[in-house]
Amino acid sequence: MSAPLLTVEDLEVSFPGRTGFTRAVRNASFTLGRERLGIVGESGSGKTTMGRALLGLLPRTAQVTARTMSYDGTNLLTCTERDWQKLRGRRLSMVMQDPKYSLNPVMRVGRQIAETALLHLRTDRGDAKRRTLAMLEAVQIRDPELVYRLYPHQLSGGMGQRIMIAMMLIAEPDLLIADEPTSALDVTVQNEVLRILDDLVRVRGMGLVMISHNLTMVSSFCDRVLIMYAGRIVEECAASELQNAKHPYTQALIAATPSLDVRRTELATVTRDPEWLK
């Protein structure tokens, strides 16, 4: 078995406040190979904070510690800003949650994607444009030449998310973190975006971390699933075995998931146990 791309042991992330530090991520440990790993939990469970910590994107006030946090042999805890500039985009990438807030509103989308190729692949502008058009085709944009010249406000939500995916994948990274990449999309477009991600990850042999609150989507799309509660990973299981989860929080999330196959008068609610925080 090949060595994992990402190894995390006892990751802790804390933020200062008026009454001391708040632990947003607590003793998180997991590994990632060239597979699809889902991280699921309610809002505030620490999913996005953990993803941003892995890419060094947290504010300077955050305290990040770990026994191990390494990517392909590189110790991420000791990375300087110059080290991060070499890793982010080229080796590690992150698709943010909402393209409306991630794309530059006054720059054409083609130029934004091409900038990534210019910066990380050290190519010329002509080749960067060719790569950009090819990447737009890869994420199933019907008229790449037209979309290349558009501004972000001229895109639909689904197209904006595809642009973000194209921007993050044009430098051919080994690991992609997707933070709620389908949360603002309707079901049909969600399925299209997931299919595109699945095809690209399989063809390129990448590792993918899918951060989401949608347990049903993650269980059908990913290979393994991590369940987070109050900053802690409370359970890890194969996606195909999620229905056999042991932790009561995971079981409560499954019970509260809507289903077209089960007729209910009301959805179950999650009843929390203070022992889960210990």
Side-chain angles (χ1 to χ4, degrees), residues 11 13 24-26 28 30 38-54 58 94 97 177-180 209-215 218 225-233 249 253:
L11 173 63
V13 180
V25 178
R26 305 186 296 162
F30 65 95
I39 302 178
V40 178
E42 296 169 287
S43 296
S45 62
K47 309 183 301 297
T48 296
T49 298
M50 186 164 68
R52 288 178 175 269
L54 297 175
L58 293 176
M94 186 171 188
Q97 184 168 348
I177 299 175
D179 186 7
E180 300 278 10
V209 176
M210 175 71 74
I211 298 172
S212 179
H213 64 272
N214 190 330
L215 193 63
V218 167
V225 181
L226 304 180
I227 306 297
M228 289 195 72
Y229 175 75
R232 188 190 301 275
I233 297 174
Y249 177 65
L253 289 181

Side-chain angles (χ1 to χ4, degrees), residues 7-13 27-29 53-54 63-70 75-77:
T7 301
V8 177
E9 295 180 329
D10 296 333
L11 173 63
E12 291 263 347
V13 180
N27 302 112
S29 300
L54 297 175
Q63 288 193 358
V64 180
T65 62
R67 186 150 54 94
T68 304
M69 192 167 80
S70 66
N75 185 358
L76 300 180
L77 294 169

Side-chain angles (χ1 to χ4, degrees), residues 109-110 136 141 143-151 155 159 163:
V109 296
L136 288 174
I141 295 294
D143 192 341
E145 287 281 0
L146 172 63
V147 174
Y148 185 94
R149 300 189 298 271
L150 297 181
Y151 288 94
L155 305 174
M159 289 180 67
I163 295 298

Side-chain angles (χ1 to χ4, degrees), residues 32-101:
L32 175 73
R34 297 185 183 276
E35 59 181 325
R36 297 165 300 176
L37 176 68
I39 302 178
V40 178
E42 296 169 287
S43 296
S45 62
K47 309 183 301 297
T48 296
T49 298
M50 186 164 68
R52 288 178 175 269
L54 297 175
L55 271 77
L57 293 175
L58 293 176
R60 295 182 183 276
T61 54
Q63 288 193 358
V64 180
T65 62
R67 186 150 54 94
T68 304
M69 192 167 80
S70 66
Y71 164 74
D72 199 22
T74 300
N75 185 358
L76 300 180
L77 294 169
T78 60
C79 282
T80 64
E81 187 56 39
R82 178 170 293 185
D83 294 331
W84 280 119
Q85 289 175 2
K86 293 178 181 178
L87 284 172
R88 284 195 297 251
R90 184 66 186 95
R91 306 288 306 281
L92 308 167
S93 285
M94 186 171 188
V95 177
M96 300 300 182
Q97 184 168 348
D98 194 333
K100 292 195 300 291
Y101 303 109

Side-chain angles (χ1 to χ4, degrees), residues 15-269:
F15 294 95
R18 293 181 180 178
T19 59
F21 281 86
T22 299
R23 298 168 71 194
V25 178
R26 305 186 296 162
N27 302 112
S29 300
F30 65 95
T31 61
L32 175 73
R34 297 185 183 276
E35 59 181 325
R36 297 165 300 176
L37 176 68
I39 302 178
V40 178
E42 296 169 287
S43 296
S45 62
K47 309 183 301 297
T48 296
T49 298
M50 186 164 68
R52 288 178 175 269
L54 297 175
L55 271 77
L57 293 175
L58 293 176
R60 295 182 183 276
T61 54
Q63 288 193 358
V64 180
T65 62
R67 186 150 54 94
T68 304
M69 192 167 80
S70 66
Y71 164 74
D72 199 22
T74 300
N75 185 358
L76 300 180
L77 294 169
T78 60
C79 282
T80 64
E81 187 56 39
R82 178 170 293 185
D83 294 331
W84 280 119
Q85 289 175 2
K86 293 178 181 178
L87 284 172
R88 284 195 297 251
R90 184 66 186 95
R91 306 288 306 281
L92 308 167
S93 285
M94 186 171 188
V95 177
M96 300 300 182
Q97 184 168 348
D98 194 333
K100 292 195 300 291
Y101 303 109
S102 302
L103 295 171
N104 188 331
V106 297
M107 185 184 294
R108 298 181 193 274
V109 296
R111 182 181 168 193
Q112 295 188 54
I113 300 172
E115 271 194 342
T116 306
L118 289 169
L119 177 64
H120 294 292
L121 302 181
R122 305 295 182 183
T123 186
D124 57 53
R125 292 191 178 276
D127 185 58
K129 182 175 181 178
R130 286 191 292 272
R131 289 174 181 268
T132 298
L133 293 174
M135 197 68 238
L136 288 174
E137 286 188 7
V139 296
Q140 299 182 17
I141 295 294
R142 293 182 181 178
D143 192 341
E145 287 281 0
L146 172 63
V147 174
Y148 185 94
R149 300 189 298 271
L150 297 181
Y151 288 94
H153 73 272
Q154 296 175 293
L155 305 174
S156 66
M159 289 180 67
Q161 201 59 273
R162 295 183 197 192
I163 295 298
M164 287 296 301
I165 293 170
M167 189 184 304
M168 294 302 103
L169 293 183
I170 192 170
E172 300 183 355
D174 292 321
L175 190 153
L176 178 68
I177 299 175
D179 186 7
E180 300 278 10
T182 63
S183 63
L185 308 177
D186 62 55
V187 175
T188 302
V189 180
Q190 280 185 20
N191 291 334
E192 290 179 0
V193 170
L194 289 175
R195 182 166 51 81
I196 291 168
L197 274 175
D198 186 41
D199 291 343
L200 292 171
V201 168
R202 290 182 183 276
V203 169
R204 295 166 182 247
M206 299 168 55
L208 173 68
V209 176
M210 175 71 74
I211 298 172
S212 179
H213 64 272
N214 190 330
L215 193 63
T216 302
M217 181 271 288
V218 167
S219 64
S220 62
F221 179 75
C222 295
D223 302 307
R224 288 189 295 132
V225 181
L226 304 180
I227 306 297
M228 289 195 72
Y229 175 75
R232 188 190 301 275
I233 297 174
V234 296
E235 188 163 17
E236 174 183 346
C237 58
S240 60
E241 298 295 325
L242 194 59
Q243 293 297 326
N244 300 322
K246 304 299 183 184
H247 196 279
Y249 177 65
T250 311
Q251 294 173 346
L253 289 181
I254 295 172
T257 302
S259 173
L260 294 176
D261 299 324
V262 180
R263 189 171 183 176
R264 301 174 180 171
T265 56
E266 61 182 35
L267 290 176
T269 57

